[in-house]
């Protein structure tokens, strides 16, 4: 399972105005030192609102990872084979809609 955003995702979130990531990903093969700033799954979850207009954030896995606010009138819903990617997509979607 993918644990961190890739370089493109990280750059997009920074461009959208989010604080730079606290974590590092991708160890340098020769030294084993972690070298690339990246958002972890935990950081991505923290970026999402716990509720949007009485609809609670839901994460679940049933073949695909799903991130949703199912009771909200627009039924925000994103699915991906990777939780990290689904979280990233939901963050971008909510930011573009002005919800975060």
């Amino acid at each position: 399972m993918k644990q961190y955003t890739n370089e493109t995702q990280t750059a997009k979130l920074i461009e959208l105005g989010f604080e730079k990531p606290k974590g590092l990903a991708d160890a340098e093969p020769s030294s084993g030192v972690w070298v690339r700033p990246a958002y972890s799954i935990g950081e991505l979850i923290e970026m999402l609102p716990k509720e949007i207009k009485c609809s609670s954030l839901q994460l679940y896995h049933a073949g695909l990872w799903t991130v949703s606010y199912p009771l909200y009138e627009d039924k925000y819903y994103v699915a991906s084979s990777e939780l990290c990617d689904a979280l990233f997509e939901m963050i971008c979607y909510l930011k573009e809609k002005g919800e975060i």
Side-chain angles (χ1 to χ4, degrees):
M1 180 163 80
K2 182 177 168 187
Q3 301 284 322
Y4 296 92
T5 54
N6 62 34
E7 291 177 34
T8 304
Q9 292 169 328
T10 301
K12 175 71 174 179
L13 292 174
I14 292 170
E15 177 185 308
L16 289 174
F18 290 97
E19 186 177 315
K20 290 186 179 181
K22 297 176 183 120
L24 297 173
D26 299 337
E28 166 62 42
S30 61
S31 67
V33 174
W34 294 87
V35 294
R36 181 178 60 83
Y39 296 97
S40 68
I41 288 173
E43 285 179 282
L44 295 173
I45 291 171
E46 288 177 5
M47 290 179 190
L48 290 169
K50 302 306 176 227
E51 282 191 353
I52 296 177
K53 299 180 184 174
C54 299
S55 182
S56 296
L57 171 65
Q58 291 186 2
L59 308 174
Y60 62 92
H61 185 263
L64 292 174
W65 282 101
T66 302
V67 179
S68 66
Y69 294 88
L71 300 177
Y72 185 62
E73 59 196 42
D74 290 339
K75 296 186 179 168
Y76 294 153
Y77 170 94
V78 175
S80 176
S81 60
E82 294 287 349
L83 175 58
C84 189
D85 293 340
L87 292 166
F88 167 78
E89 290 177 36
M90 181 60 82
I91 291 165
C92 291
Y93 180 75
L94 292 178
K95 186 70 172 179
E96 290 169 7
K97 289 284 194 180
E99 294 290 349
I100 54 175

